[in-house]
């Protein structure tokens, strides 16, 4: 079997489940460290000729990260694809189980068992904090409705102030963000790399939590660590 992954979190999942089948990945597939496979460009604009040249039996895509045109082109070329689009933790776990099955693995890998356990044993939060969650700056882009990261935060006691917005990734002005009067600002380190010196200063008087973007937005082996790690980061806002 030969697999090309155009989704970083799924690349990690394949590499930790059946590394011998992974023959290609995007330039943004950074986990696991030292991954030695052919690179096929970015998630949004992969080199489809390079993908097809790898003779994949399966290409992994995500509705949000990849373009429909690329998925259609691969299908038209006769390349089997598996498309994911989880918007909640349970959906992510189900999608990962489907991936494992597509890889021909009969038993769930240890990382998926650990991810299920980590979220199943997570207690309901005792308190809820209302937050804005920027994922980009210049212009500001925040988490809106029906996002995987929003569901992760909700399960950790953080309510997204834009959860009911009609758009999944609204672009409010900084003034509009401040007008929401959040109790917390959650600042991940990807896709935009917010830091202690870049982001918190825009929200004076509001605690800011710097969190791991990979654990907030990736749905793969990182799900096993995500609840404990993100909870600790959210508990210590600056």
């Amino acid at each position: 079997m030969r697999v090309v992954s155009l989704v970083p979190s799924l690349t990690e999942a394949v590499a930790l489940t059946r590394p011998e089948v992974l023959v290609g990945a995007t330039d943004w597939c950074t986990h696991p460290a030292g991954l030695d496979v052919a690179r096929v460009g970015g998630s949004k604009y992969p080199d489809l000729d390079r993908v097809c040249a790898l003779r994949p039996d399966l290409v992994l895509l995500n509705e949000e990260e990849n373009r429909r045109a690329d998925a259609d082109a691969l299908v038209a070329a006769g390349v089997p694809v598996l498309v994911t689009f989880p918007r909640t933790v349970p959906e992510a776990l189900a999608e990962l189980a489907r991936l494992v099955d597509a890889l021909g693995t009969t038993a769930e890998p240890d990382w998926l068992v650990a991810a299920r356990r980590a979220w199943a044993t997570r207690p309901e939060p005792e308190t809820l904090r209302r937050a804005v969650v920027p994922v980009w700056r210049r212009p500001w882009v925040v988490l809106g409705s029906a996002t995987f990261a929003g569901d992760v935060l909700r399960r950790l006691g953080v309510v997204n102030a834009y959860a009911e917005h009609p758009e999944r990734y609204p672009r409010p002005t900084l003034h509009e963000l401040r007008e929401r009067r959040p109790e917390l600002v959650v600042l991940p380190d990807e896709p935009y790399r917010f830091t202690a010196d870049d982001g918190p200063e825009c929200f004076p008087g509001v605690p800011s939590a710097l969190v791991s973007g990979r654990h907030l937005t990736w749905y793969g082996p990182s799900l096993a660590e995500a609840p404990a790690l993100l909870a600790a980061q959210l508990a210590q806002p600056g």
Side-chain angles (χ1 to χ4, degrees), residues 14-231:
V14 176
L16 295 184
T17 304
R18 290 197 63 193
E20 73 280 4
V21 307
L22 186 64
V23 297
T26 74
D27 299 341
W28 301 108
C29 294
T30 56
H31 288 76
L35 183 65
D36 185 18
V37 296
R39 300 294 176 161
V40 297
S43 298
K44 290 295 184 188
Y45 297 97
D47 186 329
L48 295 186
D49 289 337
R50 199 179 304 172
V51 171
C52 291
L54 291 171
R55 296 178 290 108
D57 299 300
L58 185 65
V59 176
L60 307 178
L61 304 104
N62 172 270
E63 281 193 31
E64 190 167 81
E65 292 192 49
N66 308 115
R67 299 185 306 157
R68 175 64 182 266
D70 291 332
D72 290 345
L74 289 169
V75 171
V79 178
V81 301
L82 187 154
V83 182
T84 61
F85 190 26
R87 281 151 285 193
T88 66
V89 171
E91 286 180 5
L93 294 171
E95 294 275 26
L96 291 167
R98 184 164 68 103
L99 169 63
V100 168
D101 183 64
L103 295 176
T105 303
T106 54
E108 287 196 343
D110 291 344
W111 61 263
L112 183 50
V113 173
R116 289 190 189 281
R117 183 184 306 117
W119 286 99
T121 58
R122 189 77 200 171
E124 283 292 320
E126 296 181 0
T127 59
L128 298 175
R129 288 177 290 173
R130 190 165 177 272
V132 293
V133 191
V135 293
W136 200 260
R137 182 175 181 178
R138 305 182 189 96
W140 290 97
V141 181
V142 300
L143 291 186
S145 58
T147 64
F148 170 73
D151 186 63
V152 167
L153 290 172
R154 183 185 62 78
R155 294 169 187 274
L156 299 175
V158 176
V159 178
N160 178 13
Y162 282 84
E164 303 303 321
H165 196 279
E167 297 177 12
R168 299 187 71 242
Y169 294 96
R171 297 191 174 198
T173 65
L174 180 57
H175 175 73
E176 289 170 335
L177 287 174
R178 291 171 174 168
E179 283 294 298
R180 291 277 171 154
R181 301 191 181 281
E183 300 170 88
L184 179 70
V185 179
V186 178
L187 299 170
D189 59 10
E190 64 170 72
Y192 185 92
R193 186 173 180 80
F194 288 103
T195 67
D197 300 319
D198 185 355
E201 77 285 353
C202 296
F203 303 91
V206 182
S208 296
L210 298 170
V211 303
S212 166
R214 172 171 168 257
H215 290 87
L216 179 62
T217 63
W218 286 32
Y219 55 101
S222 58
L223 274 174
E225 304 171 345
L229 177 64
L230 291 173

